C-alpha cells in the first residue's frame, strides 16, 4: 500500500486539511499505517497536481484560510483500481525477535529490560485502541449507524480493522510475556 491509498481512504471517510489528516494518522489510521506531517503534505501536493484530490480554500475566523482536501474522480478511480489488485501477504520484520535469537550468543538476561520496555509500549498502545473502541464504537458517545437503521459499512470496516489491531496487541503481549518468562528462566539456570 502506498501512502496515497491511506490518504484517499481517509479523505473519503471525511474531507479535511493536511493538519486534520495528520491528526487522523496519529489517532486511527496510524493503527496500521504511519506517516509524518511532512510526508502527508508532500503527498497531498503531488496528489493535487495529478488530479487525485480537489482542494478548496476554507475561510477561518481569526486565522488564515485552510485548504480542505477531498477525493476527485481520478482519486476514486485510483483507489478502486488498487482495491481490485492482489497484494502479497505481509512479511514481518521484527528486530526484537532477531535480538532474542541473538541473545543465545551473549547473556539472554541482558534483554529483559528491552523486552519490558516493548511490553510497556504495547500495553499503552492496547489501552489507546481499547479507549478508541469504547469512544468510537461501543460507548455512549459512539455515533449510531445509518439513519434508516441499516449497518454503516464504513463504520463496520473501521471497527474490524481496529479489532485486528486490538487482537494483534493482545497476541504481542502474550508473546512478550512468554519471552520474559523464558529470559528469567534462563537467567536463573545460568551458572
Amino acid at each position: 500500500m502506498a501512502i496515497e491509498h491511506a490518504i484517499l481512504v481517509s479523505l473519503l471517510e471525511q474531507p479535511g486539511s493536511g493538519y486534520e489528516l495528520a491528526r487522523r494518522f496519529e489517532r486511527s489510521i496510524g493503527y496500521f499505517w504511519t506517516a509524518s506531517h511532512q510526508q502527508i503534505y508532500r503527498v497531498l501536493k503531488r496528489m493535487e497536481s495529478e488530479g487525485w484530490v480537489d482542494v478548496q480554500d476554507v475561510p477561518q475566523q481569526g486565522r488564515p484560510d485552510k485548504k480542505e482536501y477531498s477525493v476527485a474522480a481520478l482519486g476514486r478511480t485510483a483507489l478502486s483500481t488498487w482495491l481490485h489488485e492482489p497484494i502479497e501477504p505481509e512479511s514481518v520484520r521484527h528486530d526484537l525477535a532477531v535480538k532474542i535469537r541473538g541473545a543465545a550468543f551473549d547473556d539472554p538476561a541482558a534483554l529483559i529490560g528491552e523486552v519490558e520496555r516493548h511490553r510497556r509500549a504495547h500495553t499503552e498502545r492496547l489501552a489507546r485502541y481499547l479507549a478508541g473502541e469504547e469512544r468510537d464504537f461501543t460507548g455512549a458517545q459512539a455515533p449510531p449507524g445509518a439513519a434508516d437503521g441499516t449497518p454503516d459499512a464504513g463504520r463496520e470496516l473501521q471497527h474490524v480493522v481496529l479489532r485486528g489491531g486490538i487482537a494483534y496487541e493482545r497476541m504481542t503481549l502474550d508473546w512478550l510475556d512468554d519471552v520474559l518468562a523464558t529470559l528469567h528462566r534462563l537467567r536463573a539456570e545460568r551458572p
Side-chain angles (χ1 to χ4, degrees):
M1 167 175 59
I3 187 174
E4 291 86 354
H5 301 114
I7 289 173
L8 288 170
V9 169
S10 182
L11 289 175
L12 283 168
E13 290 173 347
Q14 181 178 346
S17 68
Y19 174 79
E20 291 163 342
L21 272 172
R23 297 282 297 156
R24 285 185 224 159
F25 270 75
E26 290 170 1
R27 184 174 167 198
S28 66
I29 291 175
Y31 297 155
F32 53 90
W33 189 267
T34 58
S36 70
H37 289 228
Q38 294 84 1
Q39 280 179 296
I40 291 168
Y41 285 106
R42 189 171 49 250
V43 171
L44 277 171
K45 186 176 275 300
R46 187 175 68 243
M47 291 171 72
E48 180 185 358
S49 70
E50 292 174 0
W52 285 23
V53 296
D54 293 322
V55 64
Q56 177 181 0
D57 288 326
V58 177
Q60 299 188 103
Q61 197 158 344
R63 296 189 311 209
D65 293 352
K66 71 176 182 177
K67 292 182 181 289
E68 183 174 89
Y69 295 89
S70 60
V71 178
L74 282 174
R76 281 185 177 269
T77 300
L79 182 65
S80 180
T81 299
W82 178 74
L83 287 172
H84 289 91
E85 293 173 353
I87 57 173
E88 290 299 315
E90 296 173 11
S91 52
V92 177
R93 277 190 55 195
H94 205 297
D95 293 342
L96 183 61
V98 176
K99 277 190 169 200
I100 292 165
R101 288 193 54 177
F105 305 101
D106 194 62
D107 177 11
L111 280 180
I112 290 173
E114 179 69 357
V115 175
E116 288 173 339
R117 185 178 70 81
H118 280 255
R119 192 182 191 299
R120 285 189 300 275
H122 285 281
T123 298
E124 291 169 8
R125 188 175 301 152
L126 176 60
R128 281 194 314 274
Y129 289 2
L130 291 170
E133 181 180 43
E134 174 67 20
R135 178 192 64 237
D136 297 338
F137 298 103
T138 59
Q141 299 295 320
D148 63 1
T150 60
D152 179 335
R155 286 189 43 73
E156 285 192 37
L157 294 172
Q158 289 172 1
H159 195 196
V160 77
V161 168
L162 178 57
R163 289 194 310 266
I166 290 168
Y168 176 80
E169 293 304 324
R170 286 180 171 151
M171 181 274 307
T172 300
L173 287 169
D174 287 345
W175 175 67
L176 290 171
D177 288 341
D178 186 22
V179 170
L180 284 169
T182 302
L183 292 173
H184 284 292
R185 181 180 50 75
L186 290 171
R187 180 174 63 185
E189 293 173 355
R190 205 175 161 120

